[in-house]
Amino acid sequence: QVQLVESGGGLVQPGGSLRLSCAASRSIFSIATVGWYRQALGKERELVAVFTSGGSTNYADSVKGRFTISRDSAKNTIYLQMNSLKPEDTAVYYCNIIPPRDKYWGQGTQVTVSS
């Protein structure tokens, strides 16, 4: 059973930065395509960043140029560096493989962008 634990969220002012981490209990990130998802209050969960098993990345248009996904296979951890944050980035952020598995969803980490 794989457990994913997200951390690093918090309250930040518009224009600020945060770095999220997602640690896996087993080594899956080196062989799987993984992603960061987010769910804002009252909205559907959306995929915002992808790190493929081959090492390439892809981003939703809404975060392109501001967010960077990375992977540290030795630490079984993926990261999401978020810069130039906007109020519309406020959401609970989750990590999972792609396509996501229900049993892998963690608690997520809350990101709130507000002045």
Side-chain angles (χ1 to χ4, degrees), residues 1 9-10 14-15 17 21 24 31-32 36 40 50 59 62 64 68-69 71-73 78 80 90 93 104-105 114:
Q1 180 72 13
S17 297
S21 299
I31 59 173
W36 281 98
V50 176
Y59 301 92
S62 58
K64 198 171 295 182
T68 303
I69 187 172
R71 178 185 70 188
D72 187 334
S73 297
I78 61 170
L80 186 67
T90 295
Y93 285 71
Y104 287 178
W105 291 116
S114 175

Side-chain angles (χ1 to χ4, degrees), residues 10-76:
L11 173 63
V12 63
Q13 293 186 342
S17 297
L18 283 174
R19 188 194 194 205
L20 307 184
S21 299
C22 171
S25 58
R26 294 174 58 187
S27 179
I28 63 168
F29 293 149
S30 60
I31 59 173
T33 291
V34 297
W36 281 98
Y37 302 75
R38 69 184 181 187
Q39 187 168 20
L41 194 63
K43 295 188 177 181
E44 296 288 322
R45 188 173 291 170
E46 63 172 338
L47 178 64
V48 297
V50 176
F51 197 104
T52 72
S53 56
S56 60
T57 59
N58 201 2
Y59 301 92
D61 288 343
S62 58
V63 307
K64 198 171 295 182
R66 301 186 298 121
F67 290 12
T68 303
I69 187 172
S70 60
R71 178 185 70 188
D72 187 334
S73 297
K75 295 183 178 180
N76 298 331

